[in-house]
Each structure stands twice: as C-alpha cells, then as structure tokens.
Amino acid sequence: MTDRQHLLVHGGTFVAVGDGGDISGVRGGGGSHSAPDGMFVRDARHLSRWQLTVDGAVPEALSPVTDGDTARCVLVPRGGRQEPPAHTLFREQAVADGSFVESLRITSNRPVPTTVRIAITADADFTDQFELRTDHRTYAKTGAVRSREVLDDGVEFSYQRGEWRSCTTVTSEPAPDGVEETGTGARRLVWALDLEPHGSAELSLRVAARPHGMPAPEVPLTPAAAKARLRALESEFAEGVPFPTGWPELAAACARGIADLAVLQVPATGPDGEELRVPAAGVPWFLTLLGRDALLTSLFALPYRPQLAAATLPALAAAQATEVGVGTVSQPGKIVHEVRHGELAHFGQVPYGRYYGSVDATPLFLVLLGAYVEQTGDTALARRLEPNARAAIGWMLDHGGLTSRGYLVYRADEGGLANQNWKDSPGAICSGDGSRPTGPVTAAGAQGYAYDALRRTAQLARTVWDDEVYAALLEQAAGDLRDRFQRDFWMADRAFPALALDGDGNHVDALASDAGHLLWSGLLDKEYGELVGRRLLEPDFFSGWGVRTVASGQPAYHPLSYHRGSVWPHDNALIALGLARYGLHDEARAVARGLVDAAGVAGHRLPEVLAGYGRGTHAEPVPYPHACVRESRSAAAPLALLTAVGGA
C-alpha cells in the first residue's frame, strides 16, 4: 500500500508524513510539484527518516492519519482474526517553527504483564530541496561531512560543508535505553517498556532543527502544546475580520483562508535589518518569499489584514536589485522573484538565493504600495520607500522596456525561467494552436500591472512626495501605454486581447484568462472591458468552478495542463475583482460562486490549482495532480471574492 502524504505546517517549517506517521525518505516523484516526505526548514530536509517499529516489525494503521492541525493515527501489530493485537499504539504529531513533536502511547490489550520493544529509526540527510526535485540534477558537495553524536536522551545529527553547518537534535522523555547504529547512517532509538495488564506507557519525542545561521528553536513539550500555539496564532490573526453573514460558505472559505495565512508566514528582513513575517508562496516546494505571490496575497488581504502588506513591502524593498547580475537576472530597481536560504543557493549552485526572473513583481510592488496608502492612510511607509519606488519605476522605464519598446518585455532565462509572468511554466505563453512565441515576449497581463503602477505611483508623487512634475510624467506614460496596448493587442476579429506579442510584435493569439487581469488593472476602455468580461463567462472559458487559464476548444487547451486549461483560484480572484470594477456584478458573483462551491468540497480550502474539467460533466472539481495544497494566493482568494461581491 502506498501512503498518502499529510502535511503539517507552521511558519518556515513543514513536515510530510505517511498514513502511519512515518517518514521514509522518499525523493518525491510523478511531477515537478510532487513532494518528498520529511521535515523541512529553510529549504533543507532536517529529518529524512522517522520510522516506528514494535517488537521489530512495522505496525499497520488501524486508523490512518487524517489531515488537521496535528497528525493522529492508531496503529496495531500486523496479524489476523485468530490473533487479535496484543497492544494498540496511539500516535500524535505536531509541528512548530523549527521543531516537530510526537506523543506515542502504547496500551496493552493483554490481561498479563507484557514487555514491548519500541524503536524509532531516525536520520537527517540535510538534502537541499532542489536536489529532491524530479529533474534528476546532481550537485557537487566537495568536503561535505555528516556526523552523529549520541546524547543522554537521544541523538544529534550534524552536517558541515565549509562554513555551512546545520544540525538536527532528537530527544525523548523517557530517555531511550539505547541508540543503535543501523549501517545506513541512521540511528535507532530503542525502549523496552514494561506494561501492566491492560496498562499504558507514553513516550514524548522532540525534534529540533537548527539550519545554518539560525538559533535553536523553542520546542513545545507536546503535540497539544504545539496545537495550542498554532490555534492562538490563527485566532489572533483572524480577530476582527468581518466574515459575511449572508453567505456562510464564503464565510467558511474566508475563515479557512485566514487560518492558512496565519501559518504560512515566514521570517524576512527589512531595509534596516528589522525582523518581519511575510506570506510564503506555498507548501511543499515554495515555503519561502516569492515576490509576485507575496504581493498578490497582500493585495487580496489588504482590506482585512493590512499588516501583510506592511511587512511584504519593506521585505521586498530590502531585496531590491541594485546592479546587473547575469545568473540572477537582476537589474537596478527590479523586485526579487524568489528568495532561498538553502545550501545550494548559499554556494551559488542554483541562482535562486536572490533570483529576479519576473517581469511583473516590480509593477505589482508599486501597485501594492499605492493601494496600501489608499487603504490605510499610512503615508509614512510611502515616504520611507520612496527611493525604492522611484527605482522600481526606473526599472520599468529602462531595463523593463517601457521606454525603448513601449511595453514591459522579458526574454527566456536559460538558467532559470523561460516565462517570467505569472504563467511561468514552459509553453504557458502560446498561440491558440499551442505554438510558442520566438524572441522577447510582451505578456498582456504585465502591461496592465504597469499601467496601474504608473497611475498609483503618480498619486503618491502628488500627495505624499510633493513632486507634481514626476506625477505628470507618470500619468502621461500611463495614458500612452493604454493607447498603445489597445491598438497593438486587440484582436478585432475575435473581440479579445492577445495573450502576448512575440519578438516581431505579432499576436500570440490564445484566448486566455490573463485578459481578466486587464480588467483588474483598468487598462481596457469600458466597451472593450465589458466585451472581455462577458466573454470570460462563456462555456469554453468558465468551467462552472472558475475561469480556465486557456479556453477549451483550442488545440492549446488541456484540462490537466498547469497553465493551459486549468483553473487557478488566485487568477479567478483577480478576474472577479476586475469584473466588479467594470460593473459586471452578475458575472463576478458567478465566478465567486464557482470558487466557493469548489472550496466547499475540500473543507472550504482552495488549492493552488484545479483541473479544467467542466462542472456539467463532473459533479465535483477534479484535482490538479501536483497542486500545492496550501498556497498563500489561494488562501487569500476568498478575501478578494468578499471584496468583489460582498456577502451576497
């Protein structure tokens, strides 16, 4: 039997266990988003084996792990009807920042005294997450040394490579009777537990991870304590959010999303070294700061939780590029796409320590800054980040291409991302027949973000920075961009904008959901906007659960493609906001209803992405095979729907 995987998440830490609570050390497989198991902190696997045996045998799950704040299961020795289990094991696990705790209770089912031998085989391979992906790349690690040290109450695993050092400490109460070698590098902690007739014994196990450069974590004593810490965090984060009373299903999706956002926050540093907590992109592969994701999450949550924006903006300002870097695709003023803390990033073996392969994070930074000031009236942050905002405008006009080419343009990065807009998978930007553009790409959605960024920054220049000349310059640039876009992108024969322009300025003509982002940004004239909004609700686009990334009926469409036919909640949240902006309130409600109904099937949680199959032939939404289960943009999407349609 193949275990399902169960994720426990808190801040920058997640643990993936199987149905019986074990970690086997698998790499992950079956796709770029299929996850390995283990305990991960700051891009490294700090626990790669955690396997329970009872009297030398692996027990079976009588009641397998169910998803929740803790992983709880009931285990028994393997056997048959003629030999009922001699004892039952009740296992509960939880995660906190940098730590993992387990409570194991063993209950005898016999009327006589019994001795049970319990063992936990543990290991920490400290593998970087990039080594666990399915592209089968290998990385040289010259001089790397792993070591193990037996402690009075457990064992410590350490890893060192040059100045890089990480460790994982496993301790227990009571202390193990012994710590055995296994011949594989793992260590086996063993206990001989004497049980009275129908009596019980308990073990408390704690795992503390200390990544390179980080202090030892504060480890909760029990899973119950970890759960209480998590619940307090969620409760504090949700306090005061006005959940709608007239639409209970939307209220439940908002509450679920708020709870997920509370735990999907990771540490970051501001321009003055201040400590911040920002939205991570998602679990399992992206529990880190991604510029675009954090910005959109903060925008969706802005009316309800402005502190996300107040942290995201300075964190991204601190990571803003100041020079040209070939491997990292950095250019002065550009906002970072991805920040990594792992070993491979530290030694420059992957470009993602600070990677700038995004055409849209920079304008979205300006959109969020303007929206934050408008929402909160807090002009102090806009004054503090004025140099960063001006540098971001400078990037858009200069390296971004607005001055020389009239648009924001990107080129494929051979060492990183081929596509650098939100649809960043290979082949995501395509014509209706599926063919890919050649040369530099001008993606439609990014032009909408640029237009909104210019307008909002002009408002800041006028009202906060007292620079009327600069404001007028940006407003003129925005107006010119809008005129150019409607001339160059509009496909008159299809009454719809092109997905992109290729290097020669020709239409990349797939009918795609990015057009809805143009409504959110306000780039289209009212007549064009209404045409686009109504078109997005026709059956080839709207699956009943949401708007497809690419309309069905085109050769490019595939319901199980990552960006060419799937349904993305955050994409649809932007579309709903755009529909409402253009007065298409019935259409906005239809999108919101589809998403809320999809969330209701999965405990009111929206995944990263759904398959594109229609509701008319599939009574429940079909999952996308390798979606992030918890993703910050999807968690915040119900809040955006609430903004777009209220509680109606």
Side-chain angles (χ1 to χ4, degrees), residues 510-588:
L511 299 180
S513 63
D514 301 57
H517 297 217
L518 305 176
L519 304 182
W520 175 63
S521 299
L523 184 59
L524 298 177
D525 287 343
K526 183 174 175 57
E527 178 186 357
Y528 284 173
E530 290 176 351
L531 285 171
V532 166
R534 294 191 176 99
R535 181 69 181 84
L536 290 171
L537 270 294
E538 292 184 16
D540 58 343
F541 260 122
F542 188 61
S543 73
W545 306 112
V547 176
R548 298 180 177 99
T549 44
V550 167
S552 63
Q554 303 173 94
Y557 169 76
H558 190 304
L560 291 173
S561 168
Y562 197 46
H563 287 124
R564 281 167 51 165
S566 54
V567 172
W568 286 66
H570 94 271
D571 184 30
N572 277 264
L574 287 170
I575 291 169
L577 289 167
L579 291 166
R581 177 173 187 158
Y582 280 76
L584 301 173
H585 299 292
D586 289 343
E587 288 81 357

Side-chain angles (χ1 to χ4, degrees), residues 314-346:
L316 292 176
Q320 188 174 31
T322 58
E323 59 187 14
V324 173
V326 177
T328 61
V329 206
S330 65
Q331 295 161 337
K334 202 173 186 184
I335 295 299
V336 73
H337 168 64
E338 184 171 351
V339 177
R340 289 290 181 174
H341 304 282
E343 174 191 357
L344 297 181
H346 176 83

Side-chain angles (χ1 to χ4, degrees), residues 13 36-37 40 51 149 184 330 340 416 439 445 483 553 581 601 618:
T13 304
D37 63 357
F40 291 84
Q51 293 177 306
E149 179 185 356
T184 65
S330 65
R340 289 290 181 174
D483 292 342
R581 177 173 187 158
V601 174
H618 298 81

Side-chain angles (χ1 to χ4, degrees), residues 80 83 120 124 134 190-191 275 321 378 402 406 421 432 435 455-456 481-482 496 557 586 629 640:
E83 187 180 353
I120 293 282
T134 53
V190 296
W191 298 261
E275 294 182 359
D378 177 12
L402 274 182
N421 63 319
S435 60
R455 292 179 63 253
R456 289 184 182 274
L481 173 59
R482 186 177 195 181
F496 207 77
Y557 169 76
D586 289 343
V629 177

